[in-house]
Amino acid sequence: MLSKRIIACLDVRDGQVVKGINFEGLRSAGDPGALARRYNREGIDEVVILDVTATIEKRKALARTINAVAQEIFLPLCVGGGIKDEAHADAAIEAGADKVSLNTAAIARPELLTALARRYGSQAVIVAIDAKRESGAFRIYVRSGQQATERDAVEWAREAADRGAGEILLTSIDRDGTKSGFDCELTAAVSEAVSIPVIASGGAGTFDHFVDVFTAGKAHAALAASIFHYAEHAVADLKRHLASHGVPVRR
Amino acid sequence: MIALIDYGAGNLTSVRKALTHLGAEFRVPDGPADLDRMTGVIVPGVGNFEATAVLAPEWRGAIAGAVGRGTPLLGICLGLQWLFEGSEEAPGAEGLGAMPGTCALIRGGPDDDFGIFKVPHVGWNSLHVTRDSWLLDGVGEGDQVYFTHSYAAPVTADCVASTRYGIDFASAVQRGHVAGVQFHPEKSGDVGLRILRNFLERAA
C-alpha cells in the first residue's frame, strides 16, 4: 500500500534554516546539512529546501546548500524559491535536487511547467500554490504570499496538472506558522480536482493535525517545518501515531 | 568499472551520488564501444519510454552484446521497463527484449484511496518478495522504497518483488545477471543502497 509521505521543509536564508510566522518574522533553526542528517535518521520520507529570500547573488549560496543536504540523504529532495526559468531549475537539479518547485514564475509563465516536464519528466516538476480564503473561495497569492492574484487555487491546480506538473505543494497562508492545523477543506478541494498527488502545507501543530489532513484532507503527503526543527516532536513519534490511527506510513 | 548510460532523459546526479557513496568506480561511456571494457552496466531513467529510443540502434546493440558476454546489467525505473519488449507508452519504440512482456499504464482498482486514483504512482510503497534473488539479498518482506512512474511491467516469472498500486506490478525483476528495479534505489534510503550494493558486488 502506498504510504502517506511526511516531508520536512527547510526554509533557508543565507545558508541557514529559518522559519517564519505567516511568512514574516524569521528565527534561525540551524545548519541545513545537520538538520537533513537528523531527519534522515528519524525516518523522514522527503526533504524540501525552500529559499525564502532568493535573489540572483544568493543562487550560488543556494547551490552549496542543496549540495550539502544532498550529501546527507538518499531520499527525494525538492528545491523551491525564486526559480524563474530553466537555467535556475537546471542549476538546482545539477546541485542535487530531484524536483524543483515553481510558484510565482509558473503563474506568470505556465508554459515553463511544460518545458521543464519535457526536459526532466513531470515527476521533477512541482507547482507550489499559496492560497488564502477569501469570500468562500481560495485565492492564490504570489511573491511569498505578498501579492494577490485573480487566480483560484482549484482552477489553477487543474491547469498546472494539465500543463505537466507532477505534484502540487499546497500551502494555506491563513494557517502557515499558526500551528492550528492544516486547511483540510482547501486540501480536499484541490485533491479531488486533480489526478496528481497533493502535498498539504501550513498549520501543522499536533500529530492529530496530520491524521486529519490524511483523512478529511485527502492529502497524499504533508509538509511541515517548525514542528520538526525544534525537536518538539520526533518524526518517528509522528509516524507511530499515524500508524495507530490506520494511516499507512513508512516505518 | 561500471558504465552509467546517459541517454539524456533526466538527471543522473542522484545515481552518481549514491554510487560515489558506495565507493563504486563508474563513468558515463563516451561511445558504445566503451562497453567492451566494463564490468557492469546501469541504465537509469526517468521520463518517457520513447526517450529510450535514442539508445537505438548502436547503444542497444552494444548493451545487448555486453549482456551476451555475461556483463551484469541493472535497469532503474524506465531502465527496468526497457528490459522488456516494449511499452504501451510508446508503441513504436522497441525495448531490449531481455525479458518477455510489455509494460502498461497503471490503472486503478477498487481499493483506491478515497475513491481518487492518482497516476503517476508517487511515493513510498512496499515490496512483496516473490522469490529469492541476488538483487534483493538482505531486503525484507514489506520493506519500502520510493517510486515515481505511470507505466509498469507485468508480474512474470522474472519478477522477484511485486508492489500493489491499483494493480500488482513487477517492482523488481531478475533473470541471470540482468536485473531491474521500477523504484529509485538512489532515493530509497538504506534499503535502496543495499540493493545498489548487491548489484555492485555482482558487477565487481
Side-chain angles (χ1 to χ4, degrees):
Chain A
M1 193 175 204
L2 185 62
S3 293
K4 301 297 185 184
R5 281 175 285 155
I6 304 298
I7 304 175
C9 183
L10 310 180
D11 293 300
V12 171
R13 180 190 195 177
D14 301 335
Q16 286 292 301
V17 178
V18 293
K19 179 59 198 171
I21 307 286
N22 286 326
F23 288 151
E24 284 166 29
L26 305 166
R27 44 176 182 155
S28 182
D31 165 49
L35 262 181
R37 189 163 57 236
R38 192 185 102 203
Y39 292 152
N40 187 33
R41 212 167 43 230
E42 292 180 2
I44 202 75
D45 296 318
E46 195 162 329
V47 171
V48 172
I49 295 174
L50 193 65
D51 186 6
V52 292
T53 51
T55 57
I56 293 159
E57 60 270 26
K58 300 281 173 60
R59 301 214 74 87
K60 278 185 183 157
L62 176 64
R64 279 195 296 276
T65 302
I66 295 168
N67 198 266
V69 172
Q71 297 303 325
E72 298 291 346
I73 56 167
F74 295 95
L75 303 174
L77 174 63
C78 175
V79 171
I83 293 181
K84 291 187 177 57
D85 53 32
E86 288 188 62
H88 289 163
D90 292 346
I93 285 171
E94 187 64 30
D98 300 303
K99 317 176 182 185
V100 289
S101 132
L102 285 85
N103 190 330
T104 309
I107 294 260
R109 290 201 301 128
E111 65 276 10
L112 192 54
L113 295 173
T114 314
L116 289 172
R118 278 216 191 96
R119 182 150 179 180
Y120 292 109
S122 285
Q123 86 294 331
V125 184
I126 311 272
V127 65
I129 301 176
D130 295 343
K132 195 171 187 172
R133 284 171 181 260
E134 274 177 24
S135 46
F138 301 105
R139 183 196 287 265
I140 296 179
Y141 278 68
V142 293
R143 302 195 184 285
S144 303
Q146 297 302 307
Q147 186 185 321
T149 70
E150 295 305 312
R151 302 299 299 263
D152 173 73
V154 175
E155 170 261 324
W156 167 236
R158 262 197 211 103
E159 182 185 334
D162 288 346
R163 285 180 180 271
E167 291 181 75
I168 291 169
L169 169 54
L170 181 64
T171 301
S172 162
I173 295 175
D174 303 305
R175 302 295 179 88
D176 193 62
T178 65
K179 297 183 186 285
S180 60
F182 296 95
D183 189 334
C184 290
E185 279 180 42
L186 166 67
T187 312
V190 172
S191 187
E192 285 167 355
V194 295
S195 64
I196 56 176
V198 174
I199 303 164
S201 158
T206 69
F207 290 174
D208 282 329
H209 291 155
F210 287 85
V211 176
D212 294 343
V213 84
F214 286 135
T215 52
K218 305 187 176 185
H220 285 68
L223 175 143
S226 51
I227 192 172
F228 304 135
H229 290 346
Y230 300 102
E232 291 163 350
H233 309 278
V235 177
D237 287 345
L238 169 58
K239 289 195 166 183
R240 233 185 322 271
H241 185 82
L242 289 169
S244 74
H245 285 73
V247 176
V249 288
R250 178 176 75 113
R251 301 288 291 276
Chain B
M1 180 72 72
I2 304 287
L4 182 61
I5 308 293
D6 183 2
Y7 51 96
N11 89 90
L12 302 183
T13 313
S14 298
V15 178
R16 286 172 187 274
K17 190 163 61 77
L19 292 176
T20 303
H21 177 80
L22 293 170
E25 286 189 2
F26 65 95
R27 65 183 182 87
V28 173
D30 299 326
D34 277 10
L35 294 192
D36 293 353
R37 298 188 296 275
M38 300 294 184
T39 58
V41 178
I42 295 178
V43 180
V46 287
N48 188 299
F49 192 87
E50 210 162 8
T52 61
V54 307
L55 284 174
E58 302 85 358
W59 280 106
R60 196 167 162 279
I63 294 171
V67 167
R69 291 191 299 274
T71 308
L73 170 67
L74 177 68
I76 297 175
C77 194
L78 200 56
L80 171 144
Q81 297 176 21
W82 184 70
L83 299 177
F84 286 79
E85 293 164 300
S87 172
E88 249 181 38
E89 186 175 17
E94 218 178 324
L96 184 66
M99 296 177 187
T102 303
C103 300
L105 184 68
I106 298 171
R107 293 179 175 87
D111 56 345
D112 300 351
D113 216 5
F114 320 125
I116 315 169
F117 191 68
K118 307 273 186 180
V119 173
H121 171 220
V122 179
W124 296 80
N125 207 333
S126 25
L127 297 174
H128 168 52
V129 178
T130 51
R131 70 167 161 83
D132 284 343
S133 69
W134 56 263
L135 181 67
L136 300 183
D137 184 35
V139 175
E141 171 69 20
D143 279 357
Q144 297 210 1
V145 287
Y146 186 79
F147 292 88
T148 175
H149 63 121
S150 298
Y151 290 78
V155 175
T156 64
D158 297 315
C159 178
V160 293
S162 69
T163 294
R164 182 157 190 84
Y165 186 67
I167 51 158
D168 288 314
F169 64 87
S171 41
V173 295
Q174 178 256 318
R175 170 187 284 218
H177 55 284
V178 178
V181 290
Q182 179 59 65
F183 50 88
H184 287 274
E186 74 281 12
K187 292 172 210 168
S188 294
D190 292 340
V191 176
L193 292 176
R194 172 71 197 228
I195 292 166
L196 284 175
R197 193 177 292 122
N198 288 344
F199 175 76
L200 294 175
E201 280 168 10
R202 181 85 186 189

